[in-house]
């Protein structure tokens, strides 16, 4: 996916909503709320509900701003084994599970290789290094070493980086909020699209009418979590990787993402070409 695939993605009043918030720089955000070990809570909202929600956040809330921009294009390429081990472990809620992806920042051109695993008490652990987009180039020698070490450190030494291949690309536009009161942050993703890769697939799917909100906190819920709860929104089981794989590969089970796909995203199953 290119920047054009997600350019202009937004919703009612979102640009104006972001402008009402004071800015925070990337360096400040990393210093105050990097949260590489964290608790993630995810919510699916109608896109029309985002602007009123942002208008109600605490006055201390700040929005990430880089070179005058407050909404940024992302493209993530996910890697998995031939038997979809990463997808299945996540969908079955296994304690030892992993996610390997490259994440490209479309507005700057930078790209990172990331490994996400689960630490004690369900905490998400993310490690990353600079690396080319896996949708465009294979893993480098350094990338292989990094993935192998990260997986072994999480007790997943039975999975090797040379077993992984690109299986899915997701693209979206993201705005990041900082909530100083809880030293937490939140991301709001809109214009989400998916493309299946491998096996000559080029099936695509888009969800333009929803936003995916993710809060990233320590053990205590953030002010935004409580605000979402007060508006009737509850965290759910949603994963761009899981949803995209289940939607674009009809032979795969929907697992724990079934409810979100059916009730919130209304994602139909995509038939195989020629079926």
């Amino acid at each position: 996916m290119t920047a054009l695939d997600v350019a202009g993605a937004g919703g009612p009043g979102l640009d104006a909503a972001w402008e009402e918030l004071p800015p925070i720089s990337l360096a400040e955000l990393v210093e105050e709320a990097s949260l590489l070990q964290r608790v993630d809570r995810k919510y699916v909202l109608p896109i029309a509900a985002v602007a009123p929600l942002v208008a109600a956040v605490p006055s201390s809330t700040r929005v990430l701003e880089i070179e005058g921009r407050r909404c940024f294009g992302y493209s993530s390429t996910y890697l998995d084994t031939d038997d979809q081990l990463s997808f299945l472990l996540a969908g079955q809620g296994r304690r030892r599970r992993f996610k390997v992806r490259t994440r490209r920042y479309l507005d700057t051109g930078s790209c990172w290789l990331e490994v996400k695993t689960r630490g004690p008490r369900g905490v998400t652990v993310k490690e990353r290094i600079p690396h080319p987009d896996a949708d465009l180039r294979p893993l480098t020698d350094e990338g292989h070493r990094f993935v192998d070490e990260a997986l072994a450190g999480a007790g997943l030494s039975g999975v090797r980086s040379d077993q992984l291949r690109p299986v899915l690309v997701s693209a979206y536009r993201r705005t990041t909020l900082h909530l100083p009161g809880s030293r937490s942050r939140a991301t709001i993703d809109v214009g989400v699209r998916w493309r299946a890769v491998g096996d000559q697939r080029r099936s695509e799917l888009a969800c333009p009418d929803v936003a995916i909100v993710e809060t990233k906190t320590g053990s205590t819920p953030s002010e935004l979590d409580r605000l979402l709860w007060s508006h009737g929104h509850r965290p759910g089981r949603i994963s761009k990787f899981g949803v995209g794989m289940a939607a674009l590969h009809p032979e795969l089970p929907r697992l724990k993402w079934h409810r979100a796909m059916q009730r919130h995203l209304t994602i139909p199953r995509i038939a195989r070409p020629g079926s």
Side-chain angles (χ1 to χ4, degrees):
M1 292 189 180
T2 67
L4 293 176
D5 292 308
V6 292
L14 283 185
D15 288 340
W18 309 141
E19 290 303 319
E20 293 298 317
L21 299 175
I24 185 172
S25 69
L26 180 59
E28 290 176 299
L29 182 66
V30 170
E31 180 180 355
E32 298 188 26
S34 59
L35 294 171
L36 292 181
Q37 297 190 36
R38 66 202 188 207
V39 175
D40 298 335
R41 298 176 182 87
K42 300 180 183 180
Y43 306 80
V44 181
L45 280 62
I47 199 166
V50 176
L53 181 74
V54 173
V57 297
S59 58
S60 59
T61 303
R62 301 167 71 186
V63 61
L64 176 63
E65 181 176 290
I66 303 175
E67 297 181 351
R69 295 174 176 169
R70 297 188 170 196
C71 191
F72 306 92
Y74 285 61
S75 177
S76 297
T77 301
Y78 297 92
L79 295 90
D80 204 350
T81 62
D82 287 339
D83 57 358
Q84 295 86 36
L85 182 61
S86 176
F87 169 83
L88 293 172
L89 290 177
Q92 294 165 357
R94 299 293 182 89
R95 188 179 72 83
R96 293 194 185 278
R97 56 186 188 263
F98 68 95
K99 185 181 295 179
V100 178
R101 70 186 177 202
T102 54
R103 169 163 287 175
R104 185 158 52 105
Y105 297 82
L106 301 179
D107 297 280
T108 65
S110 61
C111 189
W112 298 78
L113 173 61
E114 301 181 343
V115 179
K116 295 176 73 175
T117 55
R118 305 286 283 187
R121 297 179 296 279
V123 171
T124 299
V125 179
K126 182 169 78 171
E127 303 172 76
R128 67 179 193 165
I129 61 170
H131 192 281
D133 188 341
D135 189 38
L136 306 176
R137 287 182 54 187
L139 290 184
T140 63
D141 290 343
E142 181 185 11
H144 279 290
R145 287 193 297 270
F146 168 73
V147 172
D148 287 335
E149 290 173 4
L151 294 178
L156 290 158
S157 56
V159 184
R160 302 190 315 274
S161 62
D162 60 9
Q163 297 173 307
L164 303 175
R165 61 180 178 81
V167 293
L168 184 75
V169 176
S170 70
Y172 47 92
R173 295 200 66 81
R174 167 170 288 184
T175 298
T176 300
L177 305 181
H178 176 230
L179 298 112
S182 55
R183 295 182 61 86
S184 64
R185 58 188 171 95
T187 56
I188 301 174
D189 298 342
V190 298
V192 183
R193 299 174 61 89
W194 294 271
R195 171 169 57 84
V197 299
D199 302 325
Q200 308 303 312
R201 291 175 184 264
R202 284 297 180 269
S203 302
E204 295 192 12
L205 182 67
C207 284
D209 300 325
V210 301
I212 299 176
V213 178
E214 183 172 354
T215 62
K216 307 163 194 293
T217 72
S219 58
T220 304
S222 70
E223 305 94 316
L224 184 56
D225 286 295
R226 295 187 176 90
L227 181 61
L228 285 157
W229 300 343
S230 72
H231 282 70
H233 303 294
R234 294 292 183 268
R237 293 176 171 178
I238 177 71
S239 157
K240 295 187 193 72
F241 172 56
V243 165
M245 288 289 287
L248 294 175
H249 294 261
E251 71 278 9
L252 293 178
R254 292 191 168 193
L255 301 172
K256 68 181 184 182
W257 304 295
H258 176 78
R259 180 172 180 175
M261 294 174 70
Q262 185 169 331
R263 292 190 57 184
H264 301 297
L265 301 174
T266 60
I267 294 179
R269 286 192 178 274
I270 306 299
R272 283 181 176 273
S275 61

